[in-house]
Amino acid sequence: MKPRKRHVLLLWILLCSGMTEAIEPISTTIAVGMAAALTGFLASYPNILYYFHECCRPEWISFNKTGLKTDLDSKLFGQHIASRIILKAVNGFMSNDNPKKPLVLSLHGWTGTGKNFVSKLIAENIYKEGMDSSFVHVFTSTLHFPHPSQNATYKSQLQQWIKGNVTNCERSMFIFDEMDKMHPGLIDSIKPYLDYYDKLDGVSYRKSIFIFLSNAGGESIIQKTLDFWKGGRDREEIELRDLEVSLSLSVFNNNQSGFFHTSLIDKNLVDFFVPFLPLEYQHIVQCAKAEMKARGLEPDPDVADMVARDVVYFPKLERVFSVKGCKTIESKLDYYT
Ligand SMILES: *[C@@H]1O[C@H](CO)[C@@H](O)[C@H](O)[C@H]1NC(C)=O
Ligand SMILES: *[C@@H]1O[C@H](CO)[C@@H](O)[C@H](O)[C@H]1NC(C)=O
Ligand SMILES: *[C@@H]1O[C@H](CO)[C@@H](O)[C@H](O)[C@H]1NC(C)=O
Ligand SMILES: *[C@@H]1O[C@H](CO)[C@@H](O)[C@H](O)[C@H]1NC(C)=O
């Protein structure tokens, strides 16, 4: 190993394990040697900050409550129910020093309504590195587990990954995208990790976060939102309990929706089911403006209107909801600006 590399590694070990904890069990001579090496290193490489690696420590992982609220209020549009549940759930979990089980969220809704986006906001307000953090893991069914015939292999692989990663850092976050396309047996295999166990094989999963994303239940959410719209009622009047029944019927009892067949449901391991409503014209306008702002442009209402008019809406007759939610806004903006 090159001296420079060795120094970086040494520093990383010291930083990640905490100076004192690392030094205490070692003899003073070695500690002095290490300190000398460190001082020498600092002197010769003043730009050492570049080498700081992410570690499982509060410097890199700490929840910003205000940040999450601000983000949900200013960047997520048309999701008053989801916004409220997410804030409450994450706040409660992150402010509890001794949670009894990991936080398990299941986000449901039509494509482009913000499920991935919300996961990203949560990650960004917990991990300094956001989605790039080495403690945030995304599994996409069609990408990571494409072949049903290999479900046995996937099962043990997934278990090992989760165990390995939580062993490294108990504050790990796992996002499972396209849950509806996942083999039910596969999700059952991680069930023990979501449960109320103090420790499994010496590993505690109670500070980890699991987020499941799926379109399952999307149709019943749309139907309910459409009913409100047709009744001339404000969508903000829709409450969780208006959706719960239809969501549970279409999700839990639907044999197509894979994972919900499983004992995750029976055992109440999912803490919150979060519905995402389909987005309307005015939300597309908001998304377009927010995207312009994010690009450092002055939000132009005319451009935002053009973008929103260019989006396809359904149902065919009423044309109320955006088919792709806010998903295609970025490319449309490229075209109009
Ligand atoms: C938390 O988020 C707020 C709002 O985004 C931001 O102003 C603040 O600097 C953040 N705090 C920390 C410690 O990152
Ligand atoms: C894998 O899937 C097949 C059907 O696709 C099923 O018969 C088998 O039990 C599954 N194996 C495991 C370990 O879940
Ligand atoms: C952590 O998860 C990733 C997948 O996101 C996997 O590639 C890696 O091997 C896991 N790490 C451990 C130590 O198991
Ligand atoms: C799924 O449910 C539908 C009706 O709800 C039924 O017709 C179909 O046979 C079921 N499929 C399986 C694989 O159980």
Side-chain angles (χ1 to χ4, degrees):
M1 211 190 279
K2 284 190 192 151
R4 188 169 151 134
K5 271 219 178 118
R6 200 165 58 220
H7 279 144
V8 173
L9 184 66
L10 172 65
L11 200 64
W12 184 76
I13 292 169
L14 286 175
L15 285 167
C16 276
S17 54
M19 289 279 188
T20 48
E21 292 158 45
I23 290 174
E24 257 162 17
I26 316 174
S27 85
T28 329
T29 340
I30 296 178
V32 168
M34 279 170 119
L38 192 62
T39 319
F41 178 68
L42 278 168
S44 39
Y45 301 100
N47 59 348
I48 179 182
L49 277 170
Y50 287 102
Y51 294 111
F52 277 14
H53 271 266
E54 186 188 25
C55 355
C56 183
R57 290 176 55 79
E59 290 87 343
W60 296 89
I61 307 176
S62 76
F63 178 50
N64 186 345
K65 187 175 169 180
T66 341
L68 182 60
K69 178 154 183 24
T70 313
D71 280 351
L72 288 171
D73 287 347
S74 64
K75 296 179 182 167
L76 181 71
F77 306 113
Q79 304 298 355
H80 65 284
I81 302 175
S83 198
R84 204 168 52 216
I85 304 177
I86 295 282
L87 193 63
K88 193 176 142 214
V90 178
N91 271 351
F93 181 72
M94 293 301 292
S95 54
N96 183 352
D97 284 336
N98 189 20
K100 295 284 176 280
K101 73 185 277 304
L103 177 63
V104 185
L105 303 172
S106 192
L107 316 189
H108 299 266
W110 196 250
T111 178
T113 48
K115 302 184 299 288
N116 279 289
F117 185 63
V118 159
S119 315
K120 178 170 162 264
L121 295 183
I122 298 174
E124 284 173 352
N125 283 291
I126 296 177
Y127 303 90
K128 209 168 185 176
E129 300 288 287
M131 293 298 285
D132 293 331
S133 166
S134 45
F135 308 121
V136 176
H137 309 274
V138 181
F139 301 107
T140 306
S141 299
T142 47
L143 195 70
H144 292 93
F145 318 111
H147 309 295
S149 59
Q150 291 181 32
N151 55 6
T153 318
Y154 295 149
K155 256 183 173 173
S156 65
Q157 202 175 43
L158 184 60
Q159 287 177 330
Q160 276 167 21
W161 281 350
I162 293 182
K163 186 175 175 193
N165 282 299
V166 176
T167 307
N168 279 347
C169 185
E170 60 176 358
R171 219 26 128 188
S172 288
M173 181 163 151
F174 302 94
I175 301 170
F176 293 84
D177 200 358
E178 304 179 344
M179 266 316 281
D180 19 9
K181 300 198 181 89
M182 188 178 277
H183 192 283
L186 188 53
I187 207 62
D188 257 350
S189 73
I190 67 161
K191 192 181 71 182
Y193 305 136
L194 311 181
D195 214 335
Y196 294 82
Y197 288 115
D198 212 12
K199 280 188 174 168
L200 282 176
D201 281 344
V203 182
S204 164
Y205 297 85
R206 294 184 296 164
K207 288 200 168 171
S208 300
I209 299 180
F210 293 81
I211 302 182
F212 301 121
L213 313 180
S214 77
N215 293 344
E219 260 136 53
S220 67
I221 299 173
I222 288 168
Q223 191 53 51
K224 203 45 142 187
T225 317
L226 192 61
D227 291 346
F228 266 70
W229 183 85
K230 281 180 176 165
R233 297 173 68 186
D234 189 344
R235 69 190 254 138
E236 304 255 321
E237 286 176 36
I238 304 176
E239 292 187 39
L240 181 59
R241 64 164 177 271
D242 295 320
L243 299 166
E244 260 172 343
V245 175
S246 49
L247 196 62
S248 60
L249 283 179
S250 59
V251 174
F252 308 158
N253 299 338
N254 179 356
N255 54 17
Q256 303 290 310
S257 82
F259 114 89
F260 293 97
H261 256 318
T262 69
S263 40
L264 284 192
I265 305 300
D266 309 337
K267 292 201 69 187
N268 288 317
L269 295 181
V270 176
D271 299 300
F272 296 92
F273 289 96
V274 190
F276 282 70
L277 308 181
L279 298 180
E280 300 176 21
Y281 184 91
Q282 83 250 28
H283 307 119
I284 308 304
V285 171
Q286 286 177 307
C287 285
K289 285 183 180 166
E291 179 61 23
M292 281 185 259
K293 208 167 151 193
R295 292 184 186 186
L297 303 169
E298 182 67 28
D300 183 337
D302 294 336
V303 173
D305 263 330
M306 265 193 284
V307 168
R309 255 182 272 137
D310 198 14
V311 162
V312 182
Y313 295 89
F314 73 99
K316 260 205 171 77
L317 192 62
E318 295 92 347
R319 296 178 186 278
V320 195
F321 306 125
S322 164
V323 170
K324 295 202 169 153
C326 275
K327 227 174 196 172
T328 54
I329 300 306
E330 289 185 21
S331 53
K332 290 206 191 304
L333 259 185
D334 292 339
Y335 179 77
Y336 283 112
T337 51

